[in-house]
Amino acid sequence: MLSTNLKYLRKRLGITQAQMAEKINIKRSLIGAYEEGRAEPKLSTLVSIARLFGISLDSLITQDHSQLVPQVTQEEAKNQEGKLRVLAITVDQDQNENIELVPQRASAGYLNGYADPEFMEELPKFRLPMLAGTGTYRAFEIAGDSMLPLVSGTVIVGRFVDDWNYIKDGTPCIIVSQREGVVFKRLYNKVNAGAYMALHSDNPIYPPYEVPVSDILEIWEAKAYISSSFPMADLSLSKLSSIVLDLQHEVLKLKKAI
């Protein structure tokens, strides 16, 4: 029961074995051994683990938490500062976190499955060794032309933001919300001023708009992008926007002519 609970509760909390080991001040290899049932923790370690998950020691070793109705633990409440954001992750055979890819076709399903480990297991996964070792990363395939020169189909790799209060104005982010779904915009932080985020496009033909904090599920700060389309060096952003606008006008003319 202990090994099952350790793995389930750790993933529910959204931390790696290394992060858990750091929190309770033991070696990462021991966490792996405990989860695989190859070793048993000392009583003092068990107490530290129970405190980390915000449950009793008896519950940790006697109840199957994967079958219980999830409860908000003290650690989760502290980490999320009043708004629970349970992060489902996947790891490779060496217990390193994967980068899960959310393709455009899976964006709608992501709104329901973003906290579901089984949904995450079905997504494509990869790793980028050049990214910083700390933090959790996820990749999203964007649609549309609102963030030119990044075109539709570009994959944005973002790092999970657990505290929204410190997002700097103008930061490019993937925002997952109930109303808008998965979008890529520049954020302007209005959490303290009005409990909302202002979303701005790099393409000036798209006006900014506001999303209430209560509607937002996740925020991922953009750290890298992958694209098969290379930016055109001789075109400025304003020129690209003008070309897109002209094309849109031409399409409208063609529709009217039909």
Side-chain angles (χ1 to χ4, degrees):
M1 194 67 67
L2 176 63
S3 60
T4 300
N5 282 339
L6 283 178
K7 186 178 296 184
Y8 170 77
L9 292 170
R10 176 179 61 78
K11 289 186 176 181
R12 182 179 164 221
L13 192 58
I15 58 176
T16 64
Q17 288 186 345
Q19 290 169 331
M20 179 176 172
E22 184 179 357
K23 286 178 179 290
I24 61 176
N25 198 29
I26 64 173
K27 293 181 179 179
R28 187 207 64 79
S29 58
L30 286 175
I31 301 295
Y34 299 155
E35 289 187 355
E36 295 168 12
R38 294 184 284 106
E40 294 184 358
K42 298 184 296 184
L43 179 59
S44 59
T45 303
L46 282 171
V47 171
S48 297
I49 293 172
R51 287 175 177 171
L52 173 66
F53 295 137
I55 60 177
S56 69
L57 182 57
D58 178 71
S59 176
L60 176 64
I61 61 180
T62 62
Q63 292 184 293
D64 184 354
H65 280 263
S66 65
Q67 301 303 314
L68 300 177
V69 177
Q71 300 293 320
V72 179
T73 68
Q74 293 175 355
E75 181 70 12
E76 287 170 331
K78 183 181 74 173
N79 284 349
Q80 307 307 334
E81 295 195 358
K83 181 175 181 180
L84 176 62
R85 293 188 283 275
V86 179
L87 187 63
I89 62 171
T90 62
V91 296
D92 62 18
Q93 59 184 6
D94 297 319
Q95 297 301 313
N96 297 311
E97 285 190 30
N98 296 311
I99 300 174
E100 298 86 12
L101 170 62
V102 183
Q104 288 182 19
R105 65 179 182 277
S107 294
Y110 186 78
L111 296 181
N112 296 320
Y114 69 98
D116 183 356
E118 292 185 3
F119 178 84
M120 289 299 146
E121 286 290 346
E122 297 298 320
L123 293 176
K125 305 168 188 65
F126 64 99
R127 288 185 56 77
L128 290 175
M130 74 285 294
L131 294 175
T134 58
T136 295
Y137 294 86
R138 191 153 294 161
F140 298 84
E141 185 181 11
I142 62 172
D145 59 357
S146 67
M147 292 296 282
L148 291 175
L150 299 184
V151 298
S152 186
T154 299
V155 172
I156 305 296
V157 181
R159 184 169 65 187
F160 183 68
V161 180
D162 57 358
D163 190 342
W164 302 347
N165 292 294
Y166 298 101
I167 297 176
K168 295 181 179 179
D169 287 347
T171 301
C173 294
I174 291 287
I175 303 95
V176 183
S177 69
Q178 302 273 7
R179 185 180 67 184
E180 297 294 326
V182 178
V183 297
F184 178 47
K185 302 290 182 182
R186 291 191 183 274
L187 279 190
Y188 286 80
N189 197 336
K190 308 298 181 182
V191 171
N192 295 322
Y196 69 91
M197 291 287 187
L199 278 58
H200 290 241
S201 300
D202 283 349
N203 188 339
I205 69 172
Y206 293 93
Y209 59 93
E210 300 171 358
V211 176
V213 169
S214 59
D215 192 56
I216 299 175
L217 302 173
E218 294 178 343
I219 296 177
W220 300 80
E221 182 181 353
K223 291 296 182 182
Y225 72 89
I226 304 168
S227 177
S228 59
S229 300
F230 290 88
M232 300 177 68
D234 59 337
L235 291 180
S236 64
L237 180 59
S238 59
K239 181 64 175 177
L240 283 170
S241 300
S242 176
I243 291 174
V244 170
L245 189 59
D246 289 343
L247 288 172
Q248 290 174 338
H249 288 160
E250 291 298 323
V251 170
L252 288 174
K253 289 179 181 179
L254 288 173
K255 286 183 177 179
K256 291 179 180 179
I258 294 176

